[in-house]
Amino acid sequence: MTITEDRPAEAAGEIGKARRRKEDQRLITGRTRWTDNITLPGMLHIAMVRSPFAHANVKSIDVEEAKAARNVVAVLTGKDLADTQGANANAWPITPDQVTPDHLPMAVDRIACAGEIVACVVARSAAEARDAAELVDVDYEELPAVLDMKEAIKDEVLAHPHLKTNKSAFWQLDSKEAGTGGDVDEAIAKAREGGIVIEREYRQQRLIPAFMEPRSVVVDPTGEQITMWTATQIPHILRFLLAATTGVAESKIRVIAPDVGGGFGGKLQTTPEEFIAFAVARRLAKPVKYTETRSESLVSGHHGRDQWQKLTLSAEKDGTVTGFKVELLADLGAYVAIMGGGVPVLGAWMFNSIYKFPAYRFNVQTILTNKTWVDAYRGAGRPEATFGIERMMDELAAELGVDPLEVREKNWIKHDEFPFTTVAGMTYDSGNYEAATAKAKELFGYDELRAEQQRRRESNDPVQLGIGVSTFTEMCGLAPSRILGQLSYGAGGWEAASIRMLPTGKVEVVTGTSPHGQGHETAWSQIVADKLGVPFEDVEVLHGDTQIAHKGLDTYGSRSLVVGGEAVVRAANKVIERAKPIAAHLLEASVDDLEFKEGRFGVRGTDKGISMGELALASFAAHNLPDGVEPGLDADATFDPDNFSFPHGTHLCAVEVDTETGATTMRKYVCVDDIGTIINPLIVEGQVHGGLVQGIAQALWEGAEYDEQGTLVTGSFVDYTLPTAADTISFVTDHTTSPSTYNSLGAKGVGEAGTIASTPAVVNAVVDALRPLGVEDVAMPCTPERVWKAINAGRAVNPEGERDAQAHFDQGTANQDAGTSGTDASPGSSTSSASEGSQS
């Protein structure tokens, strides 16, 4: 993978310097402490017994043979743990009347999805526990399962019969009601008479967060506290929910997230296995460990995405957008997970993206089915929204017969219009879509590739070239807390940090964020080294342990730098303020005469000065402090942002599609992201590269599939086609800079940007290659089979094969006039219409 050659020179200070990550030595060499590496004296091992059925009553469980197996200590069922196992919570009920089924970690008498736990075996080794789990005999009464959300909404087959409905919640944002825009129905009606109306239906397939390290949990109940080590993104939230649902005092629970091998939202849960291990350890008064197999991870770890999108866009005949209506069905699976229905709601503020829509309506109906529950997956609602709007902008460009970038530029927010309040009510503080797009076009060789595309079309080349565009923005870092409270979100948006100045001059930074591969130890060290003027090597970052970092809201949603990093900055500023009176006293000067620069307090106009390290020792010794000044320079800070941060960028993708086989090959990928101030370019590149691969994988390869009985048929990496480095190409990455005004660093999030932007860029490229053949959409993942079928379906409708976008536009208009357009609910279906007025 490549970067541009004209990268700016390395920064003079630590911020902006491309430092190698402190974490990498131990992570790459394996000299670290993953949860599964932890072994405690007398530790027992747990294996789970999982239902093979998607929906069933548990009639009986015979555990006698398993109990008699070698080295088995206990076999426990849901009834055994009913009063102690706690519960998986939904932290974001999106409406007051949301239907939320109880989600016990271990089922007692009924299961609602395949892979749900019905019993566990505890043995002296993991192998013995797994073998004995095979001996547990469960008698199931299989029940009808509902697996398709469009069938589920009919309430004919119920995922939870006692709830009487599969509809969990309906949530809506309407610009007219909110006072942020006009009436979208009026805008669409007006466009039908004298403009353009585009109607499409898109499928966001179900995905699986395939993190590198499987989930693992170790619980030790033998000390004064119950200590849990677990591969989680949310140690602080987990500790709170363990206490809240089991009755154990929070002060008696310690949660440690050691080095965690990836998450992508997949470890943003309080998992059934964590609750079960906690309950088993308490019951047996012995340490226990559970580590999932990869198959268990794919089947029962939460899934992501899974939406139907029905989208309607209206525009004037010159391409100026006038309205956008979004109607979603979102499959929650069998239970409402910790973020649950809130994930699609996050898209409400992002479907309008960077465009100046005068009218807008978003609504979502969340649905319960008998599949694994769905929750946050890298991007969480924003990739789904970006996909929808960027596909629609391409469709508008095709309808107009103009370049896709032209119609975007016509409608996006101009750089001199910031801050800009959108039709969804969000205030974007900064951005420059023109600059990012111009740089991306230059790096991509946009005009040259368009010329090559035209030559291939004119020569009827069997391998067609497609060019995909994605111009996006996203919102990073849930905030502020008071707004989250109004939305019934169960937590705040703040983050905490502490800085400890040690008497040796070294610095400890304690952060409430909990990294799982992001590089916090390096980036936070760079921030503190710059702010306090201490060597980068002298800063140590502590995290992921609720006993050490006692306050925090953890890591997800690209919040760590823009919220947690700002908390670190504020703690550093407090350290400087605490040091000032001591420095003034020791230098025999007034505080007003001091200046702090590069880690040293000096007296203006003199060469007198004292370093931060010297002050740390003097404050520790406390031999000569000013009256009323306490020893120590340590400081705590909490930051609750006033708003999200809004990174943006332009992604361009070129693909070659073999029209005879359906094979798709990526030719070139360029992205220019604007993430505000960059702390470490090397970390940013890693985040962007990883995000790109994940988003491209949704477009081309990944998808969780169930059979008619509710069995996950993509339950291994044989069938769930996770890409490797060999499946991708070198990316060209660069950036522009529009600093955020919502934090003093000027930083914006980057962890999810690549994933959010890349999926529509790739799909737009595939469709662009095939549009002359009558193809308007290919359902994701765009496998060779699906592409080949789309080509042949397009040819069946239009045997001659249209050869340019204008011809396609004219044909679409003629079809509408003939009354042939309509709504098709099948995957990848689409309809469009243009009024007579749009032909002029």
Side-chain angles (χ1 to χ4, degrees):
M1 297 178 182
T2 62
I3 59 176
T4 57
E5 295 179 357
D6 60 344
R7 182 172 298 287
E10 192 163 79
E14 284 295 335
I15 291 177
K17 185 175 290 186
R19 278 196 175 273
R20 291 187 177 183
R21 301 194 315 176
K22 287 184 173 183
E23 304 91 326
D24 285 350
Q25 178 64 28
R26 70 175 189 271
L27 295 175
I28 292 172
T29 61
R31 295 176 180 178
T32 189
R33 203 179 199 202
W34 308 111
T35 302
D36 193 43
N37 296 148
I38 295 169
T39 300
L40 302 176
M43 187 173 72
L44 303 173
H45 296 263
I46 301 175
M48 304 299 176
V49 180
R50 300 180 183 273
S51 168
F53 299 109
H55 196 194
N57 288 326
V58 179
K59 297 179 67 177
S60 65
I61 303 177
D62 186 347
V63 301
E64 295 307 314
E65 189 174 359
K67 279 185 175 180
R70 178 182 176 85
N71 282 330
V72 169
V73 175
V75 182
L76 301 169
T77 67
K79 290 181 179 179
D80 296 324
L81 299 177
D83 297 330
T84 59
Q85 64 173 319
N88 292 286
N90 168 237
W92 192 356
I94 61 174
T95 63
D97 59 350
Q98 175 178 288
V99 175
T100 309
D102 293 337
H103 187 186
L104 294 176
M106 188 182 291
V108 175
D109 51 19
R110 189 182 64 85
I111 61 96
C113 62
E116 192 164 358
I117 300 166
V118 296
C120 70
V121 174
V122 188
R124 300 195 184 281
S125 73
E128 288 167 328
R130 288 194 295 268
D131 288 345
E134 297 290 331
L135 303 176
V136 175
D137 185 12
V138 184
D139 183 12
Y140 296 98
E141 176 191 9
E142 191 173 2
L143 300 172
V146 59
L147 304 167
D148 180 271
M149 68 182 101
K150 288 193 173 183
E151 290 299 315
I153 201 170
K154 300 175 184 177
D155 283 340
E156 294 174 355
V157 178
L158 297 174
H160 298 272
H162 65 287
L163 297 178
K164 309 299 183 184
T165 183
N166 293 320
K167 302 179 189 73
S168 180
F170 179 84
W171 191 95
Q172 181 167 284
L173 172 66
D174 187 287
S175 64
K176 182 180 179 181
E177 293 178 1
T180 56
D183 188 314
V184 73
D185 291 326
E186 288 182 4
I188 293 169
K190 183 178 179 181
R192 291 193 190 280
E193 295 175 358
I196 299 170
V197 176
I198 310 289
E199 296 174 286
R200 297 289 186 269
E201 187 162 340
Y202 297 125
R203 182 75 167 96
Q204 281 279 325
Q205 79 270 38
R206 179 176 280 241
L207 300 176
I208 302 176
F211 31 71
M212 186 177 292
E213 176 207 21
R215 295 173 302 165
S216 182
V217 56
V218 173
V219 181
D220 183 3
T222 59
E224 290 297 317
Q225 292 178 305
I226 302 174
T227 301
M228 174 184 285
W229 294 263
T230 181
T232 184
Q233 297 175 221
I234 53 167
H236 296 90
I237 295 171
L238 172 58
R239 180 192 189 210
F240 167 76
L241 289 174
L242 282 169
T245 63
T246 65
V248 178
E250 195 170 353
S251 62
K252 296 298 183 182
I253 301 173
R254 179 183 185 184
V255 175
I256 303 171
D259 282 324
V260 176
F264 313 122
K267 293 171 182 172
L268 175 57
Q269 285 293 333
T270 55
T271 69
E273 294 84 358
E274 288 165 334
F275 281 103
I276 291 169
F278 190 81
V280 169
R282 291 178 64 203
R283 184 183 182 96
L284 301 181
K286 290 183 178 295
V288 300
K289 178 194 285 187
Y290 167 77
T291 301
E292 68 183 1
T293 65
R294 183 59 71 178
S295 293
E296 286 180 299
S297 178
L298 294 174
V299 170
S300 62
H302 83 249
H303 295 171
R305 310 288 192 254
D306 210 353
Q307 289 183 5
W308 276 104
Q309 302 177 337
K310 183 179 179 182
L311 310 177
T312 306
L313 185 151
S314 62
E316 296 176 2
K317 58 187 178 183
D318 67 351
T320 302
V321 296
T322 60
F324 194 32
K325 184 164 66 174
V326 177
E327 299 169 278
L328 301 185
L329 288 181
D331 189 351
L332 301 181
Y335 297 103
V336 188
I338 192 167
M339 292 287 286
V343 169
V345 166
L346 288 172
W349 297 282
M350 286 287 101
F351 264 97
N352 54 285
S353 190
I354 66 175
Y355 306 112
K356 294 182 286 190
F357 283 99
Y360 174 66
R361 182 188 299 141
F362 168 98
N363 64 56
V364 57
Q365 176 67 63
T366 57
I367 303 292
L368 297 165
T369 63
N370 294 117
K371 293 188 287 188
T372 300
W373 49 95
V374 172
D375 208 336
Y377 173 64
R378 197 171 190 170
R382 288 100 78 203
E384 298 93 311
T386 301
F387 179 87
I389 183 58
E390 288 304 289
R391 288 290 294 114
M392 291 296 280
M393 294 305 286
D394 256 35
E395 294 304 294
L396 177 59
E399 201 74 40
L400 292 165
V402 301
D403 188 279
L405 281 174
E406 181 181 334
V407 78
R408 286 169 168 81
E409 184 174 4
K410 185 178 189 65
N411 289 287
W412 68 36
I413 304 158
K414 304 302 188 289
H415 73 277
D416 56 1
E417 295 178 297
F418 290 96
F420 185 92
T421 300
T422 73
V423 72
M426 279 286 179
T427 299
Y428 300 169
D429 61 328
S430 66
N432 193 329
Y433 310 137
E434 302 98 309
T437 301
K439 182 174 279 192
K441 285 183 67 177
E442 180 183 356
L443 294 170
F444 191 67
Y446 189 84
D447 294 337
E448 293 84 351
L449 284 169
R450 282 291 183 200
E452 179 185 342
Q453 179 187 59
Q454 187 61 30
R455 291 194 297 272
R456 290 195 185 198
R457 288 180 175 181
E458 291 171 351
S459 65
N460 292 327
D461 193 321
V463 179
Q464 287 290 304
L465 180 66
I467 297 171
V469 176
S470 176
T471 51
F472 83 105
T473 189
E474 65 149 323
M475 54 186 196
C476 297
L478 287 175
S481 296
R482 62 182 180 276
I483 300 299
L484 296 179
Q486 293 171 16
L487 293 171
S488 300
Y489 182 71
W494 55 267
E495 193 48 80
S498 301
I499 292 181
R500 302 170 182 166
M501 297 297 299
L502 305 180
T504 57
K506 310 295 185 184
V507 183
E508 288 182 341
V509 179
V510 182
T511 177
T513 63
S514 185
H516 43 281
Q518 291 89 344
H520 293 183
E521 292 177 30
T522 302
W524 280 209
S525 294
Q526 289 180 264
I527 292 171
V528 170
D530 252 16
K531 294 297 179 182
L532 298 183
V534 297
F536 169 80
E537 295 77 12
D538 286 353
V539 183
E540 183 176 3
V541 179
L542 307 177
H543 57 79
D545 184 339
T546 61
Q547 194 84 330
I548 295 171
H550 65 278
K551 286 202 309 181
L553 284 175
D554 306 319
T555 296
Y556 41 86
S558 297
R559 71 185 300 271
S560 294
L561 178 60
V562 297
V563 187
E566 179 65 16
V568 170
V569 170
R570 294 186 176 212
N573 290 338
K574 286 185 176 182
V575 167
I576 295 170
E577 290 302 312
R578 290 201 66 180
K580 272 184 181 179
I582 302 175
H585 179 74
L586 295 176
L587 294 171
E588 299 179 334
S590 167
V591 169
D592 295 335
D593 291 333
L594 294 184
E595 59 181 1
F596 182 74
K597 186 177 181 181
E598 296 179 354
R600 187 175 180 84
F601 283 98
V603 181
R604 291 185 182 89
T606 75
D607 59 358
K608 293 173 63 176
I610 188 169
S611 70
M612 186 63 78
E614 292 171 312
L615 284 168
L617 180 58
S619 178
F620 169 76
H623 294 160
N624 185 17
L625 298 180
D627 291 342
V629 174
E630 297 177 355
L633 301 179
D634 300 352
D636 302 330
T638 301
F639 175 58
D640 195 346
D642 293 329
N643 201 349
F644 295 87
S645 72
F646 299 96
H648 70 84
T650 298
H651 289 224
L652 301 173
C653 175
V655 301
E656 293 180 332
V657 181
D658 189 326
T659 60
E660 296 177 347
T661 66
T664 298
T665 305
M666 290 187 64
R667 163 95 168 263
K668 190 170 187 177
Y669 198 103
V670 169
C671 65
V672 175
D673 290 306
D674 189 326
I675 59 169
T677 303
I678 293 176
I679 305 301
N680 186 319
L682 198 61
I683 291 177
V684 167
E685 277 181 32
Q687 291 276 20
V688 171
H689 287 168
L692 291 177
V693 173
Q694 250 169 318
I696 293 166
Q698 178 176 7
L700 296 179
W701 300 299
E702 292 186 38
E705 300 289 343
Y706 286 82
D707 65 16
E708 293 180 354
Q709 286 72 47
T711 300
L712 183 70
V713 296
T714 52
S716 76
F717 286 151
V718 173
D719 302 296
Y720 189 82
T721 49
L722 197 71
T724 67
D727 298 305
T728 62
I729 62 171
S730 294
F731 307 128
V732 178
T733 68
D734 209 326
H735 67 272
T736 55
T737 303
S738 302
S740 171
T741 64
Y742 293 131
N743 61 80
S744 66
L745 287 167
K748 303 176 181 180
V750 70
E752 296 162 307
T755 304
I756 290 168
S758 58
T759 305
V762 174
V763 175
N764 279 340
V766 173
V767 175
D768 184 59
L770 303 178
R771 198 176 291 279
L773 304 179
V775 176
E776 290 185 336
D777 193 33
V778 179
M780 296 186 292
C782 301
T783 61
E785 179 184 8
R786 287 183 173 178
V787 171
W788 184 84
K789 286 182 176 179
I791 291 169
N792 283 273
R795 284 171 171 162
V797 173
N798 181 18
E800 297 299 322
E802 297 164 353
R803 285 300 160 202
D804 64 276
Q806 187 61 46
H808 169 71
F809 163 56
D810 293 339
Q811 183 62 48
T813 303
N815 287 344
Q816 198 277 334
D817 290 341
T820 58
S821 63
T823 302
D824 183 350
S826 62
S829 68
S830 59
T831 65
S832 66
S833 63
S835 73
E836 291 182 4
S838 66
Q839 297 181 58
S840 58

